Every structure is written in C-alpha cells, then in structure tokens.
C-alpha cells in the first residue's frame, strides 16, 4: 500500500523550532519529487516547499523562505521539514505529498499521494 | 507568482445536479492544472491532472477542461459522497505551485 505518514508536530512557543518527518512506503521513493503543503484551521491549502528526487532542486513559498528547510533521505525513504522561528501564522496541519514527477522544475506534475498530516500549533 | 482564483467560493446543489466550478489563472499556465477534492477531516485527493486527465479510480462523472487561463471542473450528476471542498492547483510555475482558494459544495 502506498502510504505517507507524517510526525513531529506539536504545541510550540513562538520563535521555537520543530522538525517534521514524513515516512514513505509502498513506492520507490527516490523516483519522485516530494512536497510539504499546509492548511491553517478552516483555511485553504498552501504549498510550503518541494524537493526533487536527488535534492538538486528545492523551492519554498515566500512565507517560509529563510525559516524552513526541506530535506530528504532516500536511503530511509523519508522527507523532512525543519521549521524555525515559528510564528502564530505557521499554525496549521502540515501534509507531506508525493509528486507524480521526479523533479520540481520543468512544469507539470500533480500531488497524487498525501499523508494525513501533522498538526503544528504555535502559541505562547 | 501565479494567482489562482476559483468561483464560486461555495455553492448549494442537490443530488443528481450537474455542477461546474471554474478556476482562473493570473496568466497562461498551458494545461498545467490539477483538481483536488477534500472532505472534512481528510487529506486532499487528486481528481484531475493536466486539466482534463482523470486520475485512476476517480468516477467518470468528474471531468475537467480548459487551457491557458480558464479551467472548469464538472460533476455530471452530483452524488452524496461528492459534497466536499474542491481546489485547483497550477504546476506551471515551479518550483512554486499554487492552489486556488477552494469551492465548497454543499447540500441544498
């Protein structure tokens, strides 16, 4: 079964950090680009970051650039998101999503597999 | 950045109705447009990719059309399980894909 399982979320104070993880199974992880997408409570979907199969191409939303770092470990079939300098605006459910393409450049692609998300709550 | 605008933001319809949702891009995105369905408490699910290709396992009552800046998701005969929020997404501007604001389909 193709599956993505996120972990690492929690309640954190403003200015602190977290490391989110996504464990992939049921498909050849190295063959696909991966993404993080977040959804604030009661709001829509916001793409956060994406990484190509070999980590050679990475992108970030302007709202997180300089604070979040995406990475992957193909040997461990895992995707990560280091989130620093958190603010209340970062409170959201963070989803890991698999791309249908190998790279995050070149256009096209879609997110065909999603995890159930890990909740990050930033509050003092 | 490419902005994606969906309309309407919500609609009420009855089982059996034909429903259409539109998505407009702030500039041409060719056919790099995907549609997702999200039910309460669930992750989004890919319905349509490349503007008009049906994802495997998705019922044929769902269809997509359009290219350039204007796109449409149609549900030919609304079923009870189709009440959800629908999002469009452009993957033309990479590595910065973006989503529309969503359209909530409610029961009339």
């Amino acid at each position: 079964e193709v599956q993505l399982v996120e972990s690492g979320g929690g309640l954190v104070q403003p200015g602190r950090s977290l490391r989110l993880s996504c464990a992939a199974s049921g498909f050849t992880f190295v063959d696909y680009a991966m993404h993080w997408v977040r959804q604030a409570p009661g709001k829509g979907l916001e793409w956060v970051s994406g990484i190509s199969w070999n980590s050679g191409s990475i992108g970030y939303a302007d709202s997180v650039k300089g604070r979040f770092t995406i990475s992957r470990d193909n040997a461990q079939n895992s995707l990560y998101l280091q989130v620093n300098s958190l603010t209340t605006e970062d409170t959201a459910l963070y989803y890991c999503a698999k791309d249908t393409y190998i790279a995050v450049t070149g256009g096209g692609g879609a997110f065909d597999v999603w995890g159930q998300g890990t909740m990050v709550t930033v509050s003092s | 950045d490419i902005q994606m605008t969906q309309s309407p933001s919500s609609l009420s319809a009855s089982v059996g109705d034909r429903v259409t949702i539109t998505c407009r891009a702030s500039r041409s995105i060719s056919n790099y447009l995907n549609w997702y369905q999200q039910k309460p408490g669930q992750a989004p699910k890919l319905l349509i990719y490349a503007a008009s290709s049906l994802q495997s396992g998705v019922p044929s009552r769902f269809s997509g059309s359009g290219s350039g800046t204007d796109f449409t998701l149609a549900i030919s005969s609304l079923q009870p399980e189709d009440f959800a929020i629908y999002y469009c997404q452009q993957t033309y501007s990479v590595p910065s894909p973006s989503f529309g604001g969503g359209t909530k389909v409610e029961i009339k």
Side-chain angles (χ1 to χ4, degrees):
Chain A
E1 179 191 4
V2 175
Q3 195 172 14
L4 297 171
V5 179
E6 302 92 337
S7 61
L11 174 63
V12 62
Q13 293 179 325
R16 302 300 291 267
S17 301
L18 282 174
R19 189 191 196 206
L20 309 183
S21 300
C22 171
S25 60
F27 65 97
T28 305
F29 183 71
V30 69
D31 283 351
Y32 299 96
M34 297 293 296
H35 301 266
W36 288 98
V37 177
R38 69 184 180 183
Q39 187 169 36
K43 302 297 185 182
L45 301 172
E46 179 188 17
W47 175 82
V48 172
S49 183
I51 185 169
S52 62
W53 69 281
N54 63 352
S55 306
S57 182
I58 287 174
Y60 298 98
D62 288 343
S63 58
V64 307
K65 205 170 290 184
R67 300 187 299 122
F68 289 13
T69 302
I70 192 172
S71 62
R72 64 189 294 163
D73 183 337
N74 289 337
Q76 297 295 321
N77 291 338
S78 293
L79 176 72
Y80 304 101
L81 187 68
Q82 178 69 38
V83 297
N84 298 332
S85 304
L86 285 162
T87 75
T88 56
E89 300 296 307
D90 296 317
T91 294
L93 185 63
Y94 284 72
Y95 291 106
C96 166
K98 169 189 166 291
D99 203 318
T100 54
Y101 280 15
I102 197 168
V104 294
T105 56
F111 299 179
D112 65 339
V113 181
W114 296 66
Q116 285 304 303
T118 186
M119 187 68 200
V120 173
T121 303
V122 184
S123 175
S124 55
Chain B
D1 291 358
I2 297 177
Q3 309 303 318
M4 306 301 294
T5 303
Q6 288 184 234
S7 61
S9 56
S10 66
L11 65 89
S12 296
S14 300
V15 172
D17 284 353
R18 176 179 175 82
V19 168
T20 59
I21 298 169
T22 63
C23 179
R24 175 164 289 175
S26 58
R27 60 181 175 94
S28 178
I29 57 170
S30 184
N31 70 331
Y32 295 159
L33 190 285
N34 308 312
W35 290 98
Y36 299 85
Q37 175 195 65
Q38 188 179 32
K39 297 180 181 180
Q42 296 185 19
K45 172 187 174 183
L46 177 64
L47 297 178
I48 302 284
Y49 63 94
S52 60
S53 296
L54 195 67
Q55 175 69 354
S56 176
V58 174
S60 59
R61 63 181 179 273
F62 291 93
S63 64
S65 63
S67 67
T69 61
D70 294 316
F71 302 86
T72 300
L73 173 69
I75 309 172
S76 60
S77 178
L78 199 64
Q79 297 301 299
E81 61 268 30
D82 300 336
F83 293 96
I85 300 176
Y86 294 85
Y87 295 94
C88 63
Q89 177 205 32
Q90 64 82 18
T91 54
Y92 180 87
S93 174
V94 289
S96 302
S98 53
F99 293 91
T103 296
K104 186 174 185 179
V105 176
E106 299 176 298
I107 301 172
K108 181 182 286 184

